[in-house]
């Protein structure tokens, strides 16, 4: 799971179309997440707001980003960049 600050509403619902429209790549020691679905999601969240941040993390998980990162070998403390934001992986 990607974490930054704190968790908000555990009952948030995420609706993102084109769930297969994301890409994860490893560059040096950082995982880079990009794609149309992630870009649309970034336009709908305010990373500085805890509830919005929780929604962002939930949507990434619902898209399958967490599973893909695990498949690619992400581990505790690794850096994950989602556009302009660098997050730390915790499991």
């Amino acid at each position: 799971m990607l974490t930054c600050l704190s968790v908000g509403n555990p009952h948030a619902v995420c609706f993102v179309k084109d769930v297969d429209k994301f890409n994860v790549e490893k560059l040096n020691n950082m995982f880079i997440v990009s794609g149309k679905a992630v870009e649309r999601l970034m336009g709908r969240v305010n990373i500085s707001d805890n509830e919005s941040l929780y929604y962002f993390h939930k949507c990434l998980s619902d898209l399958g980003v967490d599973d893909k990162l695990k498949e690619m070998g992400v581990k505790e403390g690794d850096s994950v960049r989602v556009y302009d934001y660098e997050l730390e992986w915790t499991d």
Side-chain angles (χ1 to χ4, degrees), residues 31 66 69-76 78-80 89:
F31 292 86
D66 287 2
L69 285 165
K70 289 177 185 177
E71 179 184 307
M72 294 180 71
V74 72
K75 58 187 180 306
E76 188 84 21
D78 282 350
S79 293
V80 179
W89 179 266

Side-chain angles (χ1 to χ4, degrees), residues 14-33:
C14 176
F15 297 99
V16 179
K17 294 181 181 181
D18 301 325
V19 296
D20 60 336
K21 305 280 182 165
F22 74 88
N23 184 52
V24 178
E25 60 183 313
K26 187 171 183 182
L27 185 60
N28 298 321
N29 292 324
M30 182 177 293
F31 292 86
I32 313 287
V33 179

